Amino acid sequence: MSPGFNQLGKDKPEMPKSMKPASPAIPLTLRKEHLSACWPEDFGSVAPLWINGAWHVHSAGTTMPCVDPTVGETLIDVAVASTEDLQAAVEAAQRAQVAWWQSDGQDRARILHRIADEIRLHAKALGMLDTLDSGRPIRDTATRDVERAARIFEFFAGTTDRLRGAVVPVQPGRTNLVEYEPMGIVGAITPWNYPLTNAAGKIAPALATGNAVILKPAEESPLSALLLAWIAHRAGLPAGLLNVLNGSGPSTGEAIVYHPDIGKITFTGSTAVGRRIGAITGELLKSVTLELGGKTGFIVFADADLDRAADALVFSAFNNAGQTCTAGSRLLVEASVAGEFVAKIADRLNDIVIGDPLEPATRIGPVISARHRDMVLAHLAAASSSGIKRFELRPRSLPKAGFYIEPSILLDVSPAAAIAQEEVFGPMITVTSFASDDEAIAIANATRYGLATTVWTNSFQRARRVSREARSGLIWINTAHSLHPGSPYGGYKQSGVGLEMGLEAIQQHMKIKSVWMQENAWRSPWA
Ligand code: NAD
């Protein structure tokens, strides 16, 4: 049964445990009705672009299908931006950005605060769109994701009248000012795993620092960004400051990266695409921020609170069906408690509800696409052929349609095994045991990635040692996935370049200008 649009975000009483066969998915017709209810107007069968503060029906007439991964069928077709659409968005952004930067920072703040309020007012629709096109459960999208998106706008709203420069004490008779200026237009390219929060994390700091934005969401999850753009406009954001252009990475994405009037690229996605964008921006000498893949080592010492650590691991690795860049997918557990700890994880996974993400009890939905499902299954099959064994979880019946994958726990995995090195991005963990603190840290660091490390221990000294020696941009001690818009977020090694969030994000969206003034009569050194 459908939860009904009005009940989204409210928990029904807990379903019986997972032995019960998964209930059939809400049918496509009803899903399309839910989708129509999200839009401010009737789009018919094609979702438009958003350019210069208005819906825009693509100039070339090309569309791409937006598939609902829960039923594996097309929900709606989405307009693909043409070169002319990109040019129209750039010109609108250029016009709007000048006045935006010249406005009082407090006026910009007021609009960003209103956007946050409007995001909360449209929580059900934003959550619904992310659940429909990405398969992330509604219990997460309409609640935590929407709230995080609103708070990201609120945090950056608080920075607009605090963008201070500096006065440098230079030679007497001269004054040197350090002034910050916006990049102009920021090109933002986002992945499909957390569509709304990824978009908010790109748009809010760029607008707060006086830039205009051209956003290209992932092909698989293009919907919530369109509604967010309309919401921002409704909240008073002047036309042209935020434009949403859908399309494929290699065409629309690269056209944005290459466009000479787009001064900065901010990208979140895979390390492979990040490397390509880094190469192009390097060639063009364009500013870039890259938030890329990860392979989080989740270290559990024998002295940890094992029950809480097991809750944390299951949330960290299986939230969003494992499709999280910081997923704790590499469990490193002290040998003396390895068996006991794995049994605790298995108990929790056996009880987890997997099914239609529109059902409020569902914790794990489908993965994003048939292609991605096949890729995850290929990783698991290769691990199995190499002799890696799985812990036998209770058999369960998954829905027949849709791109579902059963959770897996892979046992006794060598740290060098491909499955322990590659980002699988599915509902699985590898288990590797260790015998000493040195060994745990060495294994945690032995990947090309460096996004996050998680450590569970009751020893303060041990936790601090891991936090100092782990080569990753995020360290979580006795917690999992703690995030705040005020806290900087970024990776070491091949997990990225630059930072998002926090005051650190401000500089990433601004240029620094050094202004010299001479007070007394200038004398040439050659005089
Ligand atoms: P992806 O790299 O395939 O695509 C990301 C975006 O880049 C999409 O919008 C895509 O259309 C676009 N793109 C693809 N090729 C492009 C090109 N040549 N030029 C310009 N744009 C191009 O990633 P994905 O599969 O959508 O997302 C999953 C990946 O994202 C994982 O690796 C995950 O770890 C990473 N991720 C990282 C973070 C982080 O903050 N570090 C957060 C979320 C996801």
Side-chain angles (χ1 to χ4, degrees):
M1 272 294 292
S2 159
F5 195 60
N6 299 333
Q7 292 166 292
L8 295 177
K10 291 186 190 163
D11 268 356
K12 282 205 245 170
E14 203 59 43
M15 278 170 71
K17 305 290 185 192
S18 65
M19 289 303 284
K20 194 173 163 229
S23 37
I26 294 163
L28 186 65
T29 44
L30 193 48
R31 307 177 95 79
K32 286 188 174 180
E33 278 176 32
H34 284 334
L35 172 63
S36 302
C38 295
W39 300 129
E41 54 191 86
D42 183 7
F43 291 151
S45 59
V46 178
L49 307 167
W50 179 266
I51 299 174
N52 197 20
W55 298 115
H56 181 85
V57 182
H58 49 116
S59 63
T62 323
T63 61
M64 61 183 187
C66 172
V67 173
D68 180 335
T70 306
V71 289
E73 294 186 59
T74 300
L75 265 178
I76 189 166
D77 287 319
V78 176
V80 171
S82 64
T83 315
E84 291 72 32
D85 296 327
L86 171 58
Q87 192 53 33
V90 167
E91 285 168 20
Q94 276 173 324
R95 286 192 299 272
Q97 187 268 330
V98 175
W100 180 242
W101 174 236
Q102 284 169 356
S103 68
D104 188 323
Q106 292 192 321
D107 294 331
R108 294 201 298 279
R110 193 173 315 114
I111 292 173
L112 295 180
H113 274 296
R114 274 200 226 125
I115 295 176
D117 295 343
E118 288 280 329
I119 286 174
R120 291 197 181 92
L121 275 177
H122 291 85
K124 287 174 188 168
L126 286 166
M128 175 60 91
L129 290 175
D130 272 2
T131 295
L132 285 174
D133 69 11
S134 80
R136 177 161 161 75
I138 196 81
R139 61 176 301 124
D140 299 316
T141 55
T143 53
R144 288 189 296 125
D145 292 358
V146 166
E147 184 57 24
R148 177 161 163 76
R151 285 172 188 247
I152 290 171
F153 276 93
E154 283 167 345
F155 171 77
F156 286 104
T159 66
T160 58
D161 56 358
R162 290 164 178 74
L163 301 175
R164 288 202 183 142
V167 180
V168 182
V170 292
Q171 302 91 335
R174 288 180 181 160
T175 303
N176 178 238
L177 305 179
V178 177
E179 292 182 344
Y180 285 81
E181 289 188 344
M183 296 278 179
I185 306 176
V186 172
I189 300 175
T190 49
W192 42 259
N193 59 344
Y194 293 84
L196 178 66
T197 54
N198 273 316
K202 305 270 181 228
I203 297 166
L207 291 178
T209 45
N211 295 284
V213 180
I214 294 180
L215 172 71
K216 194 207 84 65
E219 295 88 315
E220 296 85 349
S221 60
L223 303 180
S224 61
L226 291 168
L227 185 61
L228 180 59
W230 175 83
I231 284 172
H233 189 63
R234 191 178 130 102
L237 188 73
L241 286 175
L242 172 58
N243 305 276
V244 178
L245 300 185
N246 281 305
S248 82
S251 61
T252 312
E254 271 192 32
I256 290 173
V257 177
Y258 271 112
H259 199 291
D261 296 324
I262 297 181
K264 158 143 196 140
I265 299 298
T266 172
F267 168 81
T268 298
S270 60
T271 293
V273 174
R275 187 173 283 118
R276 164 130 189 95
I277 291 176
I280 300 171
T281 50
E283 188 66 31
L284 298 174
L285 300 176
K286 190 177 278 201
S287 171
V288 68
T289 300
L290 301 171
E291 297 289 348
L292 310 176
K295 191 75 181 173
T296 297
F298 192 108
I299 309 173
V300 178
F301 286 98
D303 65 3
D305 178 333
L306 294 185
D307 282 307
R308 278 192 209 286
D311 287 339
L313 185 277
V314 169
F315 174 69
S316 165
F318 295 92
N319 168 42
N320 207 18
Q323 304 165 113
T324 304
C325 47
T326 48
S329 60
R330 254 185 336 137
L331 169 62
L332 313 179
V333 55
E334 194 158 355
S336 57
V337 294
E340 178 189 354
F341 190 68
V342 169
K344 285 179 189 294
I345 295 165
D347 285 348
R348 285 158 175 77
L349 284 178
N350 281 332
D351 280 350
I352 254 180
V353 177
I354 305 179
D356 188 338
L358 286 178
E359 291 287 353
T362 297
R363 253 84 171 172
I364 301 181
V367 297
I368 188 73
S369 63
R371 192 171 137 255
H372 188 61
R373 176 198 56 198
D374 295 347
M375 216 174 69
V376 172
L377 293 178
H379 274 293
L380 293 170
S384 163
S385 325
S386 73
I388 292 171
K389 298 273 176 290
R390 278 186 206 204
F391 188 98
E392 286 296 326
L393 291 168
R394 207 183 280 154
R396 58 165 81 226
S397 82
L398 290 180
K400 296 278 174 286
F403 313 131
Y404 288 93
I405 303 178
E406 287 200 33
S408 328
I409 303 175
L410 304 186
L411 300 170
D412 297 323
V413 178
S414 150
I419 194 94
Q421 290 292 322
E422 300 301 324
E423 189 184 40
V424 177
F425 233 53
M428 55 74 66
I429 56 165
T430 57
V431 182
T432 303
S433 57
F434 63 83
S436 67
D437 297 16
D438 286 350
E439 195 187 3
I441 295 168
I443 300 174
N445 283 339
T447 79
R448 66 187 172 120
Y449 295 111
L451 191 53
T453 306
T454 305
V455 55
W456 280 75
T457 174
N458 274 326
S459 158
F460 170 75
Q461 287 79 5
R462 192 171 264 147
R464 282 299 288 148
R465 181 177 169 206
V466 173
S467 78
R468 271 193 304 273
E469 296 185 19
R471 306 295 301 149
S472 63
L474 291 153
I475 309 282
W476 285 307
I477 300 172
N478 294 338
T479 182
H481 281 293
S482 297
L483 295 173
H484 189 281
S487 175
Y489 182 103
Y492 281 25
K493 300 194 274 183
Q494 293 184 25
S495 287
V497 176
L499 289 157
E500 274 191 340
M501 307 295 159
L503 294 177
E504 289 76 3
I506 298 293
Q507 273 208 2
Q508 311 254 325
H509 291 82
M510 304 203 85
K511 290 189 161 140
I512 292 178
K513 188 173 267 180
S514 177
V515 180
W516 287 86
M517 291 178 282
Q518 184 85 24
E519 288 163 31
N520 47 19
W522 184 75
R523 279 173 61 85
S524 167
W526 284 359

